[in-house]
Amino acid sequence: MLGYSWKRARLSLKGKRNQEQFEFKQGQIETLKKLEDSGYIDLYFGDESHFGLTPNVPYAWQTKENPMLLPAAKGKYLNVVGLMTRKSKLYFEVLETTFNSDRIICFMNRFVEQTVKKTIVILDNSPIHKSKKFMAKIQEWKEKDVFIYFLPPYSPELNLIEILWRRIKYQWLDFDAYKCFKNLKEQLNLVLNNFGIKYDIKF
C-alpha cells in the first residue's frame, strides 16, 4: 500500500564507511569475479558467524490453544567459519568454542593445502583477521598462491558469505532447531553439509 511493504528492518553501516573506498574495492571485486569466471582464479568469500538457541525467526504459525514455546536458553553457541564461492562451494568448520587467531590460522592452513590454483580469499577487518599472528601468515600463504584480500571497513555488502549466514538463520533452519542444542547442532550441520546440493544460492 502506497509503496510500503511489510519486511524486516535491517541494520546499515553505510554512514560509517568511506564511500569512495567502498566503490573502489567494489570495482576490484567485480574484476576478481571475471577472473574467476574465466577460470584463472578461484575466489572465496570468508567470514565467521555464530548460531544460538535464540531464534532469528520471530514468527511461526501456531494456534491460540497450543502456542509454540521455545526454551529461553542463552550462552551456548555454535561458531562457524566458512569460505564460500559463488558456485555454492563451501569449506567450513564448526566449533562449540569461540574462534581465535590460532584456530583461524589452523583452518586457513588446511584450506591452503587443498587449493589447486591461484586463489583469492576475501575477508573483513575482524580483529582475528588482522592480528599479528594472522598477518604474519599472509606471505606464507601467498607463496602457495593463496592471496588474502581485505574489504574496506563497514562494508558487509561486499562479502557474499553474509547472504549464506542470513539464509541459514532466517530461512533454512527449521523452527524446531531452536528447541535444544542437539537439534541446533544436527540441523546446522545438515544445512552446511548440503549447501550447493539441497540448499543453494544463485549469485
Side-chain angles (χ1 to χ4, degrees):
M1 180 183 293
L2 299 177
Y4 287 88
S5 61
W6 181 264
K7 59 192 300 185
R8 180 173 62 91
R10 292 171 58 184
L11 299 176
S12 174
L13 298 171
K14 289 182 179 180
K16 293 186 175 183
R17 70 184 175 216
N18 181 314
Q19 190 62 27
E20 183 178 348
Q21 186 182 42
F22 176 89
E23 291 174 2
F24 175 73
K25 291 276 189 172
Q26 188 177 41
Q28 287 189 327
I29 291 173
E30 290 304 314
T31 299
L32 290 175
K33 290 178 182 178
K34 292 177 181 177
L35 290 174
E36 181 190 32
D37 291 339
S38 71
Y40 183 69
I41 65 169
D42 281 336
L43 179 63
Y44 285 82
F45 295 82
D47 192 21
E48 300 82 32
S49 188
H50 66 269
F51 299 80
L53 290 178
T54 301
N56 293 280
V57 181
Y59 301 103
W61 291 109
Q62 50 190 307
T63 64
K64 183 178 181 180
E65 295 77 18
N66 187 27
M68 186 176 291
L69 302 176
L70 293 171
K74 294 184 178 181
K76 196 171 184 181
Y77 291 92
L78 290 169
N79 294 286
V80 183
V81 56
L83 297 172
M84 182 198 74
T85 72
R86 291 183 298 144
K87 294 182 179 179
S88 296
K89 180 180 179 181
L90 180 65
Y91 187 85
F92 71 92
E93 182 179 350
V94 182
L95 290 180
E96 294 184 27
T97 56
T98 57
F99 282 100
N100 55 28
S101 286
D102 289 332
R103 292 192 178 101
I104 293 297
I105 288 169
C106 287
F107 171 81
M108 283 297 303
N109 283 337
R110 291 192 294 273
F111 171 76
V112 168
E113 291 305 316
Q114 56 88 59
T115 57
V116 295
K117 65 169 69 170
K118 185 174 292 186
T119 300
I120 311 296
V121 175
I122 294 176
L123 296 174
D124 63 19
N125 292 274
S126 166
I128 60 175
H129 301 154
K130 286 297 188 77
S131 70
K132 289 183 179 180
K133 287 183 178 180
F134 190 92
M135 297 297 287
K137 294 287 291 186
I138 289 179
Q139 181 60 36
E140 178 184 321
W141 296 329
K142 184 178 179 180
E143 291 170 359
K144 296 182 179 180
D145 270 350
V146 176
F147 301 81
I148 304 300
Y149 180 93
F150 285 110
L151 294 171
Y154 308 115
S155 304
E157 300 96 325
L158 297 181
N159 197 345
L160 295 184
I161 200 171
E162 295 286 356
I163 300 172
L164 172 63
W165 303 144
R166 290 199 299 270
R167 290 286 180 90
I168 295 174
K169 292 178 179 181
Y170 292 98
Q171 297 181 33
W172 294 342
L173 282 181
D174 293 335
F175 206 73
D176 64 1
Y178 300 100
K179 289 183 177 179
C180 66
F181 195 71
K182 179 176 179 290
N183 282 18
L184 178 65
K185 187 175 181 178
E186 289 177 352
Q187 289 202 32
L188 178 59
N189 277 286
L190 178 68
V191 170
L192 293 171
N193 282 298
N194 284 278
F195 180 60
I197 304 171
K198 181 179 179 181
Y199 305 92
D200 198 12
I201 300 173
K202 302 298 182 185
F203 293 106

